[in-house]
Amino acid sequence: MLVNYYREVLCPIVFTLSVSIFIKQNYCRLKEPIKILFKFRFAFLLTFVFLNSTSNILLAEESLLDFKIEEAGNLFLLNTDRIYFDNIEARLNSVNIKGVEINQKILTDSSQIFRWTAIEYAQNNEAEKASIYIDKYIKSTLHIGFINNDVFNGISNSEEFKVLESKYKTNLSPINLFYLFASLIGVFIFIVLNLKNNTNNISNTLISIFVLMHSVFILDLFFYLTNLKFSYPHTMLMSLTFSFLYGPIIYFYYKKIVLNYKFKWIDVLHFIPTLFIFIAALPYYLLSGQEKLAILLEVSSLSTKGIYDVAFIVKLTSLVIYALLIVRIYYKFSKNNDKLSIIKLKWQKGLAGLVSAYVVFYCIYGLMMVTKMLPRIDFLFHLQIVTMAIMVLYIGYKAFLTPKLFSSGYFDTENYKYKKSGLTNSFSEDLKEKLLYLLENEKIYRQNNISLEILSQRLDTTRHNTSQVINEHFGLNFFEIINKYRIEEARLILENDKQNNMNIIDVAYEVGFNNKVTFNKSFKKILSLTPTQYIDSLSV
């Protein structure tokens, strides 16, 4: 009992805390993507706990189906007439397991006939026939765990049994685990975007819902691909209700950030198809777990094929229409807009590209899985799922790397900050390259008297243009970018000073600071540690 408690409760908690402490102690050494992953550590915990609970469910289900062959006297506590077994016809209607004859007339439940017949064929290494009766037993009893029994180890390498395993056994392959992790990150992003205090309510709500929908769809496919749908039958049609929301949600978000669109009551019409699909799917949602499992095993009079076929056609039509509208907005209002900041242009271009790619791959997916017009090719099948996962991770990456994209009023007012600027995109890129050369090669930030005016003179441009380049390309102001480079070099100096020969104030002067107080404040702001704490962390 204590061992189970440790494995199921304490083990995942201790594991997560240990990883979190290790990352926290080495926080300053981590690059930006690792810092972002640290924020996602909860997803690792959920993944670990989920997989742990899943294995427990499968083991528990298998333990309920104990098929160990006992001695004849202990197998059935039934009074049988031994003369009956001497009858030739009776013997033809009986199964023989390790020398123990069990007449099928005793087994009034047909599922038990399938059960023992499957075991007999497995004992005789007749894989094809055993697989047929295993399938029959599973479908008649809804006991998926039957296939996990050790009695079938003798036929486990046969092609027939492998086909059966792929149909029923849990498949936690690396790509499936990636899908699970991506979906959990998506849920996390949804929560974070809605909890931020400085968020733009309308656009952030739309993009967070978009991420959540993709996360649910990825999770739905995870259950399908791993065969965990049989262990969690209530996940059936889990993402169907969202099918017609993808297009409208991302379209209105895109329209909001590009055109600052004001919503109207008539826009509600875009969501009517979602209401219809929910009403159509509601009877399925109200079914019990056993009834849903019967549908999944295709032994029910009900079927989801019809609703899936209709949903695919309508969803694909919807996606194509809204994707074309988004691409049209991008080419008409964003692509050639010289006044648009680089950060915003890349964001809008990235979304338009990912949405377009998803529509293409979803069409291929539907032609393979729904219409059967194309043969199933695993690479093509996974493309649309990978695209969704990339979209979720891309939005999450931007949310943490460039949080101002999701800040209140950023798309409403920021578009007009440099409205009168004469800085074109090509000139802006040239200035960016010159700026990077000055910072990385000449290390101009080391000059303790560096100012925006001096930097502008070196770039041979105006103070306004310099400020605009720093803001648009780096998302920082002049002092922030200078201090960022100074602290990065200071970090490297401290890391390479193995003998602690340099004082902190010497390092501060070396990288361009005029005093220790400013250096300490900037160091703590960027690395979340004081210089002294950072030095201590290096010795751990």
Side-chain angles (χ1 to χ4, degrees):
M1 187 70 180
L2 185 61
V3 174
N4 288 337
Y5 177 77
Y6 172 77
R7 184 170 66 88
E8 297 174 18
V9 180
L10 293 182
C11 184
I13 294 176
V14 171
F15 171 79
T16 305
L17 288 177
S18 301
V19 172
S20 299
I21 292 171
F22 172 79
I23 295 177
K24 189 67 176 177
Q25 288 180 341
N26 296 272
Y27 185 77
C28 298
R29 300 180 181 181
L30 302 177
K31 300 297 182 182
E32 200 66 34
I34 305 299
K35 294 179 183 178
I36 294 174
L37 286 177
F38 176 72
K39 299 176 185 294
F40 292 150
R41 62 192 182 277
F42 101 104
F44 287 108
L45 174 61
L46 288 181
T47 304
F48 187 84
V49 173
F50 175 80
L51 296 178
N52 199 313
S53 64
T54 299
S55 64
N56 291 339
I57 290 173
L58 294 176
L59 289 173
E61 184 176 11
E62 186 177 348
S63 66
L64 292 174
L65 301 168
D66 186 6
F67 299 103
K68 184 179 179 182
I69 309 301
E70 304 287 352
E71 294 298 329
N74 298 326
L75 193 59
F76 286 102
L77 298 178
L78 296 173
N79 295 321
T80 60
D81 187 355
R82 294 299 304 173
I83 300 176
Y84 179 80
F85 285 97
D86 294 331
N87 185 282
I88 297 177
E89 183 179 354
R91 284 184 176 275
L92 293 176
N93 293 322
S94 65
V95 296
N96 185 289
I97 304 168
K98 288 188 176 179
V100 180
E101 286 187 337
I102 306 162
N103 194 280
Q104 293 181 354
K105 291 187 177 180
I106 297 175
L107 305 176
T108 56
D109 185 356
S110 61
S111 63
Q112 295 303 314
I113 298 176
F114 299 149
R115 164 183 172 174
W116 292 109
T117 305
I119 295 175
E120 179 192 19
Y121 283 129
Q123 291 293 323
N124 294 331
N125 290 322
E126 297 184 59
E128 183 178 358
K129 294 180 179 179
S131 299
I132 292 173
Y133 281 96
I134 292 171
D135 192 45
K136 287 178 179 290
Y137 178 79
I138 289 175
K139 289 183 175 180
S140 65
T141 62
L142 308 183
H143 284 157
I144 310 298
F146 180 55
I147 197 173
N148 297 319
N149 201 271
D150 292 342
V151 76
F152 301 124
N153 287 345
I155 61 171
S156 60
N157 293 324
S158 65
E159 290 299 322
E160 295 83 3
F161 190 77
K162 286 181 179 179
V163 170
L164 211 58
E165 280 187 318
S166 66
K167 185 177 179 181
Y168 294 119
K169 269 201 170 183
T170 303
N171 175 25
L172 297 177
S173 64
I175 187 67
N176 290 338
L177 292 178
F178 167 71
Y179 295 151
L180 174 62
F181 185 65
S183 68
L184 293 178
I185 287 180
V187 174
F188 176 63
I189 295 169
F190 168 79
I191 295 172
V192 169
L193 289 179
N194 283 283
L195 289 181
K196 292 179 68 174
N197 294 326
N198 63 335
T199 55
N200 181 325
N201 290 334
I202 299 177
S203 60
N204 265 42
T205 299
L206 289 173
I207 194 64
S208 65
I209 292 175
F210 181 72
V211 170
L212 180 64
M213 289 188 303
H214 275 296
S215 300
V216 172
F217 194 77
I218 294 172
L219 189 61
D220 193 2
L221 287 169
F222 166 78
F223 282 110
Y224 169 77
L225 293 171
T226 59
N227 293 326
L228 284 172
K229 60 184 178 180
F230 300 124
S231 299
Y232 302 94
H234 284 295
T235 60
M236 187 183 76
L237 303 180
M238 180 171 65
S239 62
L240 184 69
T241 305
F242 299 137
S243 296
F244 306 152
L245 284 177
Y246 291 104
I249 291 294
I250 193 62
Y251 168 69
F252 281 117
Y253 171 76
Y254 206 82
K255 206 171 181 181
K256 176 68 178 173
I257 65 172
V258 175
L259 305 175
N260 196 22
Y261 180 74
K262 303 297 181 183
F263 291 94
K264 306 169 186 177
W265 278 107
I266 196 172
D267 293 329
V268 176
L269 295 176
H270 290 264
F271 302 98
I272 289 181
T274 300
L275 178 62
F276 285 141
I277 195 65
F278 174 75
I279 294 173
L282 186 59
Y284 292 94
Y285 293 140
L286 297 178
L287 294 175
S288 67
Q290 291 290 93
E291 292 172 315
K292 290 179 180 178
L293 183 55
I295 294 175
L296 292 172
L297 291 172
E298 299 179 351
V299 293
S300 171
S301 58
L302 299 175
S303 173
T304 57
K305 186 180 185 306
I307 195 170
Y308 268 125
D309 290 348
V310 173
F312 165 72
I313 295 172
V314 178
K315 179 181 176 180
L316 181 59
T317 305
S318 170
L319 285 175
V320 170
I321 292 173
Y322 286 110
L324 290 175
L325 291 174
I326 289 172
V327 172
R328 177 177 175 273
I329 292 174
Y330 169 73
Y331 277 99
K332 186 175 182 180
F333 298 101
S334 299
K335 184 179 181 181
N336 299 316
N337 185 358
D338 290 335
K339 307 302 180 184
L340 190 65
S341 71
I342 301 298
I343 292 177
K344 292 175 188 171
L345 180 61
K346 289 181 178 179
W347 173 242
Q348 294 169 10
K349 181 180 180 180
L351 280 181
L354 285 172
V355 169
S356 301
Y358 173 66
V359 172
V360 173
F361 296 144
Y362 180 77
C363 180
I364 296 173
Y365 163 82
L367 292 175
M368 288 190 300
M369 302 302 296
V370 180
T371 65
K372 309 296 183 183
M373 293 175 63
L374 293 176
R376 171 164 174 171
I377 303 173
D378 284 344
F379 173 74
L380 295 178
F381 172 84
H382 285 278
L383 273 180
Q384 65 112 6
I385 316 176
V386 171
T387 305
M388 282 191 294
I390 290 175
M391 198 178 302
V392 168
L393 297 176
Y394 174 73
I395 294 173
Y397 178 74
K398 286 292 186 180
F400 288 101
L401 191 67
T402 317
K404 65 167 57 181
L405 285 170
F406 307 92
S407 299
S408 179
Y410 180 66
F411 285 99
D412 295 338
T413 59
E414 196 73 11
N415 286 330
Y416 304 99
K417 183 175 180 179
Y418 299 109
K419 185 175 181 180
K420 297 181 180 180
S421 172
L423 189 63
T424 63
N425 283 344
S426 59
F427 187 34
S428 177
E429 288 290 342
D430 290 340
L431 290 178
K432 172 193 170 185
E433 295 301 321
K434 290 181 181 179
L435 177 60
L436 286 174
Y437 180 83
L438 291 175
L439 290 170
E440 296 176 359
N441 294 84
E442 294 193 13
K443 302 186 184 298
I444 195 173
Y445 55 83
R446 287 182 175 178
Q447 300 177 17
N448 56 15
N449 65 336
I450 188 68
S451 64
L452 183 61
E453 182 67 35
I454 294 174
L455 184 60
S456 300
Q457 290 175 3
R458 293 296 307 275
L459 291 173
D460 194 22
T461 189
T462 64
R463 297 171 75 254
H464 187 273
N465 284 349
T466 302
S467 179
Q468 182 177 344
V469 168
I470 294 173
N471 181 261
E472 290 182 345
H473 289 281
F474 302 95
L476 304 169
N477 60 36
F478 167 75
F479 293 105
E480 288 173 339
I481 194 171
I482 293 296
N483 287 340
K484 177 183 176 183
Y485 274 87
R486 284 174 172 174
I487 297 303
E488 178 60 22
E489 182 172 354
R491 183 187 69 79
L492 292 175
I493 292 174
L494 292 173
E495 189 173 319
N496 294 325
D497 185 24
K498 306 295 184 181
Q499 305 300 324
N500 294 328
N501 294 324
M502 296 189 68
N503 295 323
I504 292 177
I505 186 63
D506 295 330
V507 176
Y509 290 148
E510 176 74 18
V511 298
F513 284 97
N514 288 318
N515 58 76
K516 186 176 179 180
V517 174
T518 305
F519 174 67
N520 286 343
K521 288 176 64 176
S522 299
F523 201 100
K524 179 71 178 291
K525 180 179 180 181
I526 294 176
L527 298 180
S528 302
L529 291 173
T530 64
T532 303
Q533 290 172 334
Y534 180 74
I535 292 173
D536 293 339
S537 71
L538 294 176
S539 60
V540 176

